[in-house]
């Protein structure tokens, strides 16, 4: 492990994969062992556009109809890595599982569909750092960016090495049951992504868009930054208010009890699953030396150079 790190997030290790210690080991093992049905999986390295893609898929499935209850987002696109099988099996269909498991550890089925989103590792690092500091169960509220950066470089954050995770999926990018895109592509032309993804998910979804242009307009509207931030904040506020009396999922109950055992400070940065929604925020945080080191790490890999965004 990397030496001279003053503070590390609280991780556990299972089957060679680092995962948040606040996750139930039973639930995480069930995610590793889950045998897919004709399911849809949204798989990313953490903080690479996961929540946005979950929202896009949700509204494609809903043919642009607005959620009446914001908390339905959490039920329709549950995080399989932290949930027990009872809640996984009770997911309303059609729906999509969120996971961060690398390709090498994900149970694969030709009957399932997999959506993989890649992202600029520099922006990923910044978003991941802010998430770790604001998620009390990670125990990193007083962690420093310098240490976090070193952990990213060493592949010692949750779900291991960013580049290994990304390169595990790349050879499968053209598989018939894999939809591959980048966060930067979503930022550039979300309409194009919605159309391609609708066709990938099923004829009924692209047909709905072709029959009624309002369906496409609504999907795009409900995936604007302001709309997502408002709705998802409401969803997580509902979860926060009810978490002690009635946790939404059994996996959440374990997280709640683990977090409470850490006695976190009363005042923490607000946990935001949609933080800024911009590309290039890394420029406000990286030192020139950190930027140069990460560039060198990226450019060392020919495959990565050929397909990923290598920012200046």
């Amino acid at each position: 492990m990397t030496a001279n790190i003053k503070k590390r997030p609280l991780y556990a290790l299972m089957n060679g994969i680092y995962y948040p210690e606040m996750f139930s080991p039973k639930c995480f093992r069930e995610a590793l062992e889950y045998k897919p049905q004709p399911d849809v999986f949204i798989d990313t390295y953490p903080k690479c556009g996961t929540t946005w893609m979950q929202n896009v898929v949700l509204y494609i499935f809903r043919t642009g109809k607005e959620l009446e209850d914001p908390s339905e987002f959490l039920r329709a696109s549950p995080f399989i890595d932290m949930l027990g099988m009872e809640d996984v099996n009770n997911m309303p269909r059609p729906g999509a599982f969120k996971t961060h498991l690398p390709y090498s550890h994900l149970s694969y089925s030709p009957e399932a569909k997999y959506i993989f989103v890649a992202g600029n590792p520099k922006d990923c690092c910044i978003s991941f750092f802010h998430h770790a500091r604001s998620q009390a169960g990670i125990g990193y509220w007083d962690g420093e960016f310098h240490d976090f950066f070193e952990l990213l470089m060493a592949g010692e954050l949750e779900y291991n090495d960013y580049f290994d995770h990304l390169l595990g999926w790349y050879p499968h990018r053209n598989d018939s049951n894999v939809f591959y895109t980048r966060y930067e592509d979503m930022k550039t032309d979300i309409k194009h992504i919605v159309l391609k993804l609708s066709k990938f998910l099923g004829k009924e979804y692209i047909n709905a868009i072709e029959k009624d242009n309002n369906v496409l307009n609504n999907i795009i509207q409900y995936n604007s930054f302001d709309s997502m931030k408002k709705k998802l904040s409401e969803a997580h506020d509902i979860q926060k208010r009810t978490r002690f009396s009635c946790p939404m999922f059994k996996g959440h109950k374990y997280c709640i009890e683990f977090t409470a055992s850490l006695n976190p400070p009363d005042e923490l940065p607000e946990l935001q699953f949609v933080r800024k929604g911009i590309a290039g925020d890394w420029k406000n945080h990286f030192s020139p030396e950190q930027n140069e080191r990460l560039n060198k790490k990226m450019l060392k890999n020919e495959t990565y150079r050929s397909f990923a965004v290598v920012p200046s």
Side-chain angles (χ1 to χ4, degrees):
M1 297 184 74
T2 303
N4 301 320
I5 298 293
K6 296 179 181 178
K7 180 83 174 183
R8 294 175 181 271
L10 297 178
Y11 297 147
L13 188 67
M14 186 181 295
N15 290 18
I17 297 292
Y18 289 114
Y19 69 98
E21 193 176 346
M22 68 175 179
F23 287 10
S24 158
K26 175 179 179 294
C27 292
F28 191 72
R29 183 171 299 282
E30 288 176 345
L32 289 168
E33 296 175 350
Y34 179 65
K35 303 302 181 187
Q37 308 302 313
D39 298 312
V40 176
F41 291 85
I42 298 170
D43 196 326
T44 71
Y45 191 77
K47 311 311 294 181
C48 285
T50 324
T51 302
W52 191 5
M53 181 55 79
Q54 286 177 271
N55 205 60
V56 170
V57 171
L58 172 63
Y59 277 101
I60 290 175
F61 282 152
R62 294 180 60 82
T63 59
K65 297 181 181 68
E66 187 175 12
L67 282 174
E68 296 179 4
D69 179 354
S71 67
E72 284 301 309
F73 172 87
L74 302 173
R75 295 187 176 92
S77 190
F79 189 10
I80 190 173
D81 302 5
M82 65 174 287
L83 301 180
M85 288 312 304
E86 179 180 343
D87 292 312
V88 167
N89 292 330
N90 288 336
M91 180 186 76
R93 309 298 175 116
F97 295 125
K98 163 188 168 180
T99 183
H100 295 311
L101 291 173
Y103 184 88
S104 59
H105 287 70
L106 185 71
S107 294
Y108 175 83
S109 169
E111 296 183 355
K113 293 184 178 182
Y114 301 87
I115 300 166
F116 183 76
V117 185
N120 179 335
K122 297 180 183 180
D123 282 328
C124 165
C125 180
I126 299 306
S127 184
F128 206 172
F129 169 68
H130 285 290
H131 180 81
R133 281 176 56 94
S134 58
Q135 176 61 269
I138 300 294
Y140 201 68
W141 52 80
D142 54 350
E144 299 293 337
F145 178 68
H146 171 78
D147 285 344
F148 198 85
F149 176 84
E150 294 301 327
L151 292 170
L152 178 84
M153 292 293 290
E156 294 176 10
L157 294 177
E158 61 190 81
Y159 298 95
N160 299 23
D161 185 76
Y162 168 93
F163 297 97
D164 288 347
H165 194 287
L166 189 57
L167 295 174
W169 274 100
Y170 184 63
H172 304 280
R173 68 197 182 281
N174 295 320
D175 291 359
S176 61
N177 65 335
V178 173
F179 182 92
Y180 168 82
T181 190
R182 303 180 302 185
Y183 177 82
E184 292 74 20
D185 297 330
M186 295 174 71
K187 289 286 294 181
T188 300
D189 193 349
I190 187 61
K191 178 179 178 180
H192 178 66
I193 298 298
V194 168
L195 291 171
K196 285 183 62 179
L197 187 56
S198 298
K199 186 176 181 180
F200 172 78
L201 290 172
K203 289 183 180 179
E204 62 268 40
Y205 305 113
I206 190 64
N207 287 346
I209 287 175
E210 291 174 346
K211 288 180 181 178
D212 184 353
N213 196 52
N214 287 326
V215 173
L216 177 60
N217 291 338
N218 287 346
I219 293 171
I220 293 172
Q221 175 188 336
Y222 295 134
N223 277 282
S224 69
F225 176 78
D226 290 341
S227 177
M228 282 198 300
K229 192 173 183 68
K230 179 178 183 295
K231 290 293 184 182
L232 296 179
S233 294
E234 290 174 359
H236 288 287
D237 283 346
I238 292 170
Q239 181 183 332
K240 185 177 179 180
R241 290 197 304 270
T242 62
R243 68 182 190 269
F244 292 111
S245 59
C246 183
M248 189 171 293
F249 300 111
K250 290 183 178 179
H252 287 158
K253 184 174 186 294
Y254 187 97
C255 292
I256 292 164
E257 293 173 350
F258 180 88
T259 300
S261 73
L262 300 178
N263 295 316
D266 293 333
E267 296 296 327
L268 285 176
E270 181 184 358
L271 181 60
Q272 297 178 329
F273 285 84
V274 179
R275 196 174 66 88
K276 286 190 175 181
I278 62 174
D281 191 35
W282 64 268
K283 296 176 183 178
N284 299 318
H285 297 79
F286 274 49
S287 70
E289 186 262 346
Q290 289 170 333
N291 185 45
E292 182 179 0
R293 285 176 59 199
L294 190 47
N295 278 347
K296 286 182 178 179
K297 186 175 178 71
M298 288 189 284
L299 293 170
K300 279 174 61 177
N301 190 293
E302 183 177 351
T303 303
Y304 186 79
R305 290 203 307 270
S306 72
F307 75 93
V309 176
V310 181
S312 60

